[in-house]
Amino acid sequence: MMDNISHSHEGPDPHAPRPDHDDTLTHHKRLEIAVRELLIEKGILTADEIREAVERMDARGPHLGAKLVAKAWVDPAFKARLLENGSAAAEEAGVQMDQPTRLIVVENTPQVHNLVVCTLCSCYPRMVLGIPPDWYKSRAYRSRAVHEPRAVLAEFGTQLADEATVRVHDSTADMRYLVLPMRPKGTEGLDEAGLAALVTRDSMIGVTTL
């Protein structure tokens, strides 16, 4: 099958091959290698434990957050626990947190809309959403989400009622926020899996609604 695959840079949108930096040993790569080898040498962690941790991090994505949201929509008792202690409820639902960072879940209602940002850098609930989008880390989003949140929301196509309050939550190294969006109308017949499929990453950051 591989014989049928071809790649050309002479098409209508020619582009140069992407530079290969795999052999560049940066400061942070050196640091990672040194710490990893030291942990193994001291017997604190094994190579397999490190590999398994990396695999767990790579496997994280918005599907984990969507799982929590869907469960909260169908289980009022779980929703109450999720809002009270997001980290504990996530562990209860089988989402491994792997870090002491607190997960705080904030609920959207017709009266209150929540928006998540990290004004300092790129703190993000990676344990339930995976890698943040580039725009989340941009300086424009980090500053404008605080100063003009409604304008930012409008650029994502989100229009809120004038009387709705917009709450902006600034993430830190110790606290990460996840928005619990409102359940869409007409979804009463869906099970958790069907509901989870409706939940988007951006709705859990708060830049969109469902």
Side-chain angles (χ1 to χ4, degrees), residues 46-69:
T46 67
D48 278 346
E49 288 173 330
I50 294 174
R51 175 184 54 75
E52 289 169 0
V54 171
E55 289 177 353
R56 281 200 301 276
M57 286 189 285
D58 287 345
R60 289 172 180 160
H63 64 285
L64 295 175
K67 175 182 175 180
L68 300 179
V69 169

Side-chain angles (χ1 to χ4, degrees), residues 162-192:
D162 291 341
E163 59 271 23
T165 298
V166 179
R167 291 179 180 164
V168 181
H169 302 273
D170 192 4
S171 303
T172 70
D174 300 321
M175 295 186 295
R176 308 295 167 89
Y177 293 90
L178 179 76
V179 174
L180 175 61
M182 289 189 287
R183 179 172 176 168
K185 295 179 180 177
T187 59
E188 291 77 11
L190 295 180
D191 60 11
E192 279 189 42

Side-chain angles (χ1 to χ4, degrees), residues 96-151:
Q96 194 167 352
M97 302 303 285
D98 259 349
Q99 53 185 280
T101 305
R102 288 177 57 201
L103 177 65
I104 299 174
V105 180
V106 289
E107 181 183 18
N108 280 351
T109 69
Q111 293 78 35
V112 176
H113 182 88
N114 297 283
L115 179 64
V116 179
V117 68
C118 174
T119 57
L120 184 62
C121 50
S122 59
C123 294
Y124 186 74
R126 291 171 181 256
M127 52 281 215
V128 290
L129 295 186
I131 298 173
D134 288 342
W135 57 259
Y136 181 87
K137 299 178 286 185
S138 70
R139 182 169 184 169
Y141 176 75
R142 290 188 285 120
S143 58
R144 294 184 61 223
V146 175
H147 294 294
E148 47 179 1
R150 283 182 180 270

